[in-house]
């Protein structure tokens, strides 16, 4: 059974992956070739990297006194963003890169973050709740943050991270190998989780109509991280199964800002990272009109038309909420202190789930089959994880143990081989309709 699961996990995404990869690779080759012809790829990238950001308001008049001689090896970051990494990001919605700056620089970055924390420059992170037209802020108990890009005092206290802030290589490489992106600004947030269970509830980082953020890049700084510390980043590349990523020192995780549902599991030890949000131009983002929905299929019977409809971004985000309704609820409870505002957040979540369920009921029985298949894969993941827990090494990015809602009855001790194969086949078919960017 375990082997069957591993096999399916590997096979999963091949249909989707191969097509998207082929497309991505042909685009990369075109872009790379044309640049090489004109002035040499390396030279072009270097030249771009040295050009100041034209549209960064914070670059004007802001203090950039760097009080250190240490230099962040930014050329290593450039080398880390390969065509393969970008193809992976495009095909799966996320990519993991290890050994980005090397352990010495990664450690220096951690020291800077601790310095910012100790200098009192961090504030509590809040979940933003929009209810009845008003935004309510719900504090997370143990998670502290500082907006480096927006605050000169933070940049001065963290000169190495400020070097990253002033550099544009990351965006340039992503634009180069994912030509559908037009990233032209970035913002860095530093984060320190004090441990003691600090975590983030399930969320998407942004919405296409809200702002221009398209790629989230998180760089982890935790030299002594162990599985018993928890605090993994859990991604939900639905309909592919959830994936847990260990927050290891010098690891960069990239994912699709508006389309990748994610959370941070409770951390039992202090945990640090910084997040870079890479954005497309404001004018483009602000001027974007909502895309009209595809015409709904004639019936809710399973069909390519139904999967295409359910997997378009505006609908898929709601289907994700249904698929993970229970875990979503638990993640809200785990991330916030027990109080009225948390109760309010739970109420809002339940109302949304009920409304989505009702609105999408016309897409039954296909939707139910999709959610059941996701639950089957999830149950298999849980069974596999339970069996392998002790033996698993550190530093892995593995299929996770979340719990989907949907009809998983009878699957708690792991589905049968046949159920699993059927579920994987369906999910692969549906996944072919997901576009990450
Ligand atoms: O700390 C992490 O791994 C992710 C944090 C996160 O999701 C966020 O800041 O939006
Ligand atoms: Fe996030």
């Amino acid at each position: 059974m375990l082997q069957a699961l591993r096999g399916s996990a590997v096979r999963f995404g091949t249909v989707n992956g191969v097509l998207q990869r082929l497309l991505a690779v042909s685009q990369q080759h075109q872009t790379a070739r044309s640049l090489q012809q004109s002035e040499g790829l390396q030279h072009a990238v270097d030249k771009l990297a040295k050009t100041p950001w034209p549209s960064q308001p914070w670059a004007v008049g802001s203090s950039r006194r760097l009080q250190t001689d240490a230099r962040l090896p930014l050329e290593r970051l450039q080398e880390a963003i390969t065509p393969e990494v970008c193809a992976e990001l495009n095909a799966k919605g996320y990519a993991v890169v290890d050994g980005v700056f090397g352990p010495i620089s990664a450690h220096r970055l951690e020291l800077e973050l601790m310095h910012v924390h100790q200098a009192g420059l961090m504030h509590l992170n809040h979940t933003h709740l929009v209810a009845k037209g008003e935004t309510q802020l719900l504090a997370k108990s143990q998670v502290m943050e500082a907006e480096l890009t927006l605050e000169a005092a933070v940049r001065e206290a963290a000169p190495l991270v400020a070097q990253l802030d002033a550099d544009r290589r990351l965006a340039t490489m992503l634009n180069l190998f994912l030509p559908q992106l037009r990233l032209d600004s970035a913002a860095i947030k530093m984060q320190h989780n004090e441990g003691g269970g600090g975590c983030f509830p399930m969320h998407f980082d942004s919405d296409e109509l809200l702002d221009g953020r398209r790629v989230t890049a998180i760089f982890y700084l935790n030299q002594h991280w162990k599985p018993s510390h928890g605090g993994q980043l859990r991604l939900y590349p639905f309909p592919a199964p959830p994936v847990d990523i260990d927050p290891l020192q010098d690891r960069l995780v990239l994912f699709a800002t508006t389309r990748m549902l994610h959370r941070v599991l409770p951390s039992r030890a202090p945990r640090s990272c910084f997040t870079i949000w890479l954005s497309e131009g404001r004018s483009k983002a602000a001027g974007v009109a909502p895309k009209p929905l595809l015409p709904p299929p004639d019936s809710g019977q399973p069909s390519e038309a139904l999967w295409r409809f359910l997997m378009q971004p505006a609908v898929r985000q709601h289907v994700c909420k249904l698929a993970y309704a229970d875990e979503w609820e638990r993640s809200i409870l785990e991330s916030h202190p027990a109080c009225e505002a948390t109760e309010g957040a739970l109420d809002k979540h339940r109302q949304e789930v009920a409304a989505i369920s009702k609105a999408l009921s016309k897409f039954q029985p296909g939707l139910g089959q999709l959610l059941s298949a996701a639950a089957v894969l999830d149950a298999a993941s849980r069974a596999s994880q339970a069996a392998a827990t002790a033996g698993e090494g550190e530093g892995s990015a593995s299929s996770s143990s979340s719990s989907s809602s949907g009809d998983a009855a009878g699957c708690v001790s792991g589905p049968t081989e046949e159920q699993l194969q059927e579920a994987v086949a369906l999910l692969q078919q549906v996944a072919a309709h997901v576009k990450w960017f």
Side-chain angles (χ1 to χ4, degrees):
M1 160 60 72
L2 289 185
Q3 268 169 357
L5 175 63
R6 294 220 170 89
S8 352
V10 172
R11 281 197 307 275
F12 192 90
T14 44
V15 176
N16 189 24
V18 166
L19 279 177
Q20 295 201 7
R21 230 168 258 247
L22 279 177
L23 191 66
V25 166
S26 78
Q27 286 166 343
Q28 289 152 14
H29 285 167
Q30 276 171 17
T31 319
R33 243 196 329 268
S34 56
L35 264 175
Q36 256 159 356
Q37 276 163 3
S38 57
E39 52 186 336
L41 180 59
Q42 191 65 35
H43 179 62
V45 172
D46 285 346
K47 207 168 119 189
L48 276 174
K50 281 180 198 141
T51 318
W53 290 88
S55 57
Q56 274 188 336
W58 53 84
V60 182
S62 64
S63 165
R64 292 214 182 249
R65 264 185 299 130
L66 301 185
Q67 300 144 341
T68 178
D69 292 337
R71 202 185 62 81
L72 195 63
L74 288 157
E75 63 288 352
R76 286 187 61 143
L77 175 63
Q78 178 176 328
E79 281 156 20
I81 309 302
T82 60
E84 291 75 21
V85 165
C86 295
E88 183 111 346
L89 179 60
N90 195 35
K92 293 178 19 186
Y94 71 95
V96 181
V97 189
D98 285 319
V100 175
F101 291 118
I104 296 173
S105 295
H107 185 57
R108 284 190 178 137
L109 290 166
E110 186 187 7
L111 292 176
E112 279 196 357
L113 189 136
M114 292 322 296
H115 175 59
V116 168
H117 183 234
Q118 279 153 13
L121 291 166
M122 288 192 162
H123 51 80
L124 273 182
N125 169 288
H126 291 84
T127 297
H128 291 242
L129 288 173
V130 183
K132 296 183 191 131
E134 282 178 23
T135 302
Q136 225 191 338
L137 295 179
L138 188 49
K140 299 189 184 77
S141 330
Q142 293 94 342
V143 182
M144 307 289 292
E145 291 178 345
E147 316 293 333
L148 178 122
T149 303
L150 298 176
E151 292 176 31
V154 179
R155 288 197 301 274
E156 278 169 27
L160 281 180
V161 188
Q163 287 177 30
L164 180 61
D165 188 48
D167 189 89
R168 63 184 298 180
R169 260 168 276 211
L170 179 57
T172 302
M173 295 309 282
L174 290 166
N175 285 341
L176 185 61
F177 296 129
L178 285 172
Q180 66 270 51
L181 290 175
R182 301 273 185 283
L183 305 170
D184 65 4
S185 68
I188 300 185
K189 177 188 81 171
M190 303 176 94
Q191 185 213 119
H192 179 68
N193 183 329
E194 287 167 351
C199 57
F200 281 68
M202 293 172 72
H203 64 282
F204 294 93
D205 276 349
S206 188
D207 184 286
E208 258 120 275
L209 300 176
L210 205 62
D211 58 42
R213 286 182 288 168
R214 291 293 173 267
V215 179
T216 302
I218 308 181
F219 185 76
Y220 292 101
L221 300 167
N222 310 295
Q223 190 178 1
H224 302 295
W225 186 88
K226 290 208 271 287
S228 60
H229 293 170
Q232 292 90 344
L233 173 70
R234 179 171 287 174
L235 303 177
Y236 302 83
F238 182 84
V243 177
D244 284 354
I245 299 173
D246 301 336
L248 294 179
Q249 185 194 50
D250 212 16
R251 168 172 278 184
L252 182 71
V253 180
L254 302 158
F255 60 85
T257 303
T258 58
R259 299 182 185 174
M260 181 63 79
L261 179 62
H262 60 283
R263 69 180 288 203
V264 177
L265 298 182
S267 186
R268 287 172 285 279
R271 169 195 194 272
S272 303
C273 62
F274 56 83
T275 301
I276 310 168
W277 279 296
L278 296 133
S279 301
E280 295 192 329
R282 254 165 225 283
S283 49
K284 186 177 169 204
V288 153
K291 259 196 180 168
L293 283 185
L294 295 171
D298 296 337
S299 91
Q301 290 302 326
S303 68
E304 293 299 335
L306 177 64
W307 308 139
R308 194 176 312 118
F309 182 82
L310 293 176
M311 289 301 108
Q312 62 188 313
V315 178
R316 179 179 165 273
Q317 70 185 60
H318 299 299
V319 177
C320 284
K321 201 157 215 166
L322 277 192
Y324 301 111
D326 296 344
E327 186 179 358
W328 200 306
E329 186 162 327
R330 279 197 304 279
S331 77
I332 295 172
L333 279 170
E334 282 168 355
S335 308
H336 305 290
C339 63
E340 216 176 294
T342 304
E343 277 306 314
L346 279 180
D347 273 356
K348 181 172 173 263
H349 167 74
R350 290 183 194 131
Q351 279 172 24
E352 269 175 23
V353 171
I356 297 165
S357 183
K358 191 167 169 205
L360 296 183
S361 62
K362 57 174 87 94
F363 304 112
Q364 299 292 10
L367 175 62
Q369 288 178 21
L370 169 60
L371 297 182
S372 293
V376 163
L377 208 61
D378 206 31
S381 251
R382 258 178 290 151
S384 139
Q385 193 123 347
T389 313
E392 289 271 310
E394 291 183 12
S396 59
S398 56
S399 276
S400 82
S401 57
S402 66
S403 68
S404 308
S405 66
D407 183 17
C411 297
V412 177
S413 58
T416 64
E417 190 94 26
E418 210 181 329
Q419 283 176 311
L420 190 54
Q421 275 178 11
E422 222 174 89
V424 169
L426 177 68
L427 296 174
Q428 279 185 334
Q429 197 187 348
V430 179
H433 295 283
V434 176
K435 275 196 76 177
W436 293 103
F437 297 101

